[in-house]
Amino acid sequence: MVTAAILSAQTLDATVNKTTPTLFAKYKTAKDYANADIEELTDMIRNISFAGNKAKNIINTMKAIQEKYNGKVPNKMEELIELPGIGRKTANTILINAYNVVEGIPVDTWVISRSYRWGLSLNNDPDKIERDLMNVIDKKYWHNWAYVVKTHGRAVCQTVPFCSKCPVNKICPKNNVKKQL
Ligand code: SF4
């Protein structure tokens, strides 16, 4: 979970999904990753963006989990974001999927661009965007907001949106956005 979350930053899901089966077959525990050879790990994830940095972050994160948390991934936001390579987006993803704990909204590239398009946040910084979204979206939707945005984005709200075919075009707040779509 932690490994996949670190790998997924700025990388397509399909690319991560192609890489993880081999990786998970070789490394099964935090200790396995903590003791991994960085060159070997980098080579195994070479198709992932920033492979060298991510390999280093995975190893250092797993070392910290081994040493500070007895091999168990922490379940608190403030502890997760102290780990190398883990920001709020990754921490939110881990908390929601591994622990069913909802502290915020994972802000990925889909959420960033569609938040702007829909006028929900005009900020560029993911943490500020998350704050803006948390102020306007009911908490019961936080856990799957990123998933819904991505699914809707792929279906109709694409780079060039198919607004005439969109099932929510009558309530879409895009008309309130001052800047061009
Ligand atoms: S109407 Fe639908 S497709 Fe168009 S911008 Fe809004 S959500 Fe996206």
Side-chain angles (χ1 to χ4, degrees), residues 117-118 152 156-158 161-163 166-170 172-174 181:
R117 173 177 286 175
W118 299 333
H152 185 61
V156 285
C157 198
Q158 298 173 5
F162 295 99
C163 298
C166 177
V168 295
N169 58 12
K170 288 194 170 51
C172 176
K174 71 184 173 66
L181 284 172

